[in-house]
Amino acid sequence: GNNATNSGAIIDNNGKIGKCYSFTTSSLTLNSPIDNFTNLTISFWMLSSQSNVAVISENTTNFNANNSYMFWTNEATVGKIQFGYHSTIHTIVTSTTTVNDGKWHHICGCISKKSIGFIISLYVDGVLNASTTTTNPYNYYTSGNIYIGSRASTSYFYNGKINDFRIYNGVL
């Protein structure tokens, strides 16, 4: 595994699976383990009742920058989680399940390169909630950071718990 730099996240004994991190105005910064993945899966457990936050983000404070992906909730989606990336344009999927209800939810986002383009899939609690196919390329960013609990550890702080964060170089 990779070690993260902790910027105030608290270790909490009441995770979904053992201990978890609890966030308010804090984050974890992980040096990106992504290295030329052709397929990508990110999974984690989350518990929150907040909207308009970045749960997991990569690379930048600006989601409009190339080569960044993000999981977030916002007021417009009324408690749903979104997963997407920006390469030349935004490619985003939104869950059908509300996740800011104060209960634990398992979130899994996949980016899969196929002959027809890229497939982005979002699972909530083991159920496919949203999927789209795009020709918008995902350029796997290999030298940035992954931020857990904020957007670039400077804004859109997540208020809740995150447990069992994982990144895979394949689609599960």
Side-chain angles (χ1 to χ4, degrees):
N2 290 19
N3 294 323
T5 301
N6 189 342
S7 300
I10 298 169
I11 296 175
D12 187 312
N13 289 324
N14 299 310
K16 178 68 177 175
I17 303 169
K19 295 179 181 181
C20 67
Y21 279 100
S22 182
F23 299 86
T24 52
T25 55
S26 56
S27 65
L28 296 172
T29 303
L30 180 66
N31 203 347
S32 181
I34 298 173
D35 188 16
N36 297 319
F37 289 4
T38 54
N39 296 292
L40 173 70
T41 299
I42 301 167
S43 73
F44 57 95
W45 286 92
M46 68 175 283
L47 180 146
S48 183
S49 37
Q50 184 184 15
S51 287
N52 208 30
V53 294
V55 182
I56 310 285
S57 65
E58 178 200 30
N59 185 24
T60 182
T61 57
N62 179 1
F63 187 55
N64 292 320
N66 284 345
N67 310 322
S68 60
Y69 65 79
M70 188 181 303
F71 289 89
W72 71 98
T73 62
N74 67 47
E75 299 301 331
T77 61
V78 194
K80 311 294 194 269
I81 192 161
Q82 295 182 294
F83 172 55
Y85 66 86
H86 186 276
S87 182
T88 53
I89 59 171
H90 287 98
T91 304
I92 299 168
V93 292
T94 303
S95 71
T96 57
T97 302
T98 299
V99 298
N100 70 341
D101 58 3
K103 298 176 184 174
W104 282 104
H105 293 282
H106 187 257
I107 308 300
C108 186
C110 303
I111 300 173
S112 177
K113 185 176 182 181
K114 302 289 185 186
S115 61
I116 57 173
F118 289 83
I119 299 172
I120 300 176
S121 303
L122 177 62
Y123 295 81
V124 177
D125 298 328
V127 176
L128 179 63
N129 264 229
S131 184
T132 191
T133 301
T134 180
T135 56
N136 180 28
Y138 179 68
N139 301 313
Y140 300 94
Y141 194 73
T142 60
S143 61
N145 290 321
I146 296 171
Y147 302 95
I148 303 171
S150 71
R151 185 158 83 182
S153 73
T154 60
S155 62
Y156 296 95
F157 289 103
Y158 175 72
N159 187 355
K161 298 179 181 183
I162 295 178
N163 196 193
D164 200 33
F165 172 78
R166 296 173 183 254
I167 299 176
Y168 302 92
N169 65 342
V171 176
L172 299 181

